[in-house]
Amino acid sequence: MAIRQSKKKSDFGPVYKGHEGQWSWLLHRVTGVAIILFLFAHVIDTAVVGWGPNAYNRVISVYEYSFVRLLELGLVAAVLYHAINGTKIMLIDFFPSLTRHIRKLGIASVSLFVASMVPVTWIMGKGIIDLLRHKAGA
């Protein structure tokens, strides 16, 4: 008859302390949900065309608010991060030996995301600032 030994908490390994992998996992899920929510809203605002051009134009006029433009910038950031991180995940899935370099892959993917967002923020940010100036001058 086997004797059952009680295990201490330390026998199960260290408690996860929020390293890069956890943040990568969390951001991947959050950006995925944000993209799905946008797609839902986009289907709804496009479906309004069924009520005629005036209804559609009223809904689309929301996109002229600076806050909505900031949300669009956030959407682009979410799509970029989700795509880059998803590519990292696929690489690890297809080439399991890359798990030895997971920290370097994480740093590379975040660096690529930041490098991609700099020109995107510059281009979209100019449009947001111009919109704010136009609204302030009007």
Side-chain angles (χ1 to χ4, degrees), residues 22-133:
Q22 180 183 15
W23 293 110
S24 172
W25 178 87
L26 181 65
L27 280 174
H28 196 73
R29 271 59 182 180
V30 168
T31 56
V33 169
I35 293 165
I36 289 293
L37 290 175
F38 165 75
L39 287 174
F40 177 72
H42 182 61
V43 167
I44 298 298
D45 73 13
T46 304
V48 172
V49 78
W51 282 289
N54 289 336
Y56 181 74
N57 289 336
R58 277 195 312 252
V59 170
I60 295 303
S61 69
V62 167
Y63 291 104
E64 293 304 315
Y65 291 107
S66 55
F67 178 72
V68 176
R69 296 278 179 99
L70 281 172
L71 289 175
E72 285 179 332
L73 180 60
L75 174 67
V76 171
V79 168
L80 266 174
Y81 179 83
H82 197 79
I84 293 168
N85 194 57
T87 303
K88 178 188 80 170
I89 292 168
M90 285 190 319
L91 284 171
I92 292 168
D93 284 346
F94 287 126
F95 306 103
S97 62
L98 287 176
T99 55
R100 290 179 286 155
H101 307 286
I102 197 159
R103 184 177 171 94
K104 291 177 189 171
L105 283 170
I107 291 169
S109 60
V110 168
S111 300
L112 182 60
F113 168 72
V114 171
S116 300
M117 279 306 295
V118 167
V120 168
T121 304
W122 178 263
I123 293 166
M124 291 182 77
K126 283 192 332 188
I128 294 168
I129 290 170
D130 289 346
L131 184 65
L132 287 171
R133 285 184 184 153

Side-chain angles (χ1 to χ4, degrees), residues 7-14:
K7 292 194 175 212
K8 296 178 275 183
K9 191 174 188 178
S10 62
D11 291 338
F12 295 105

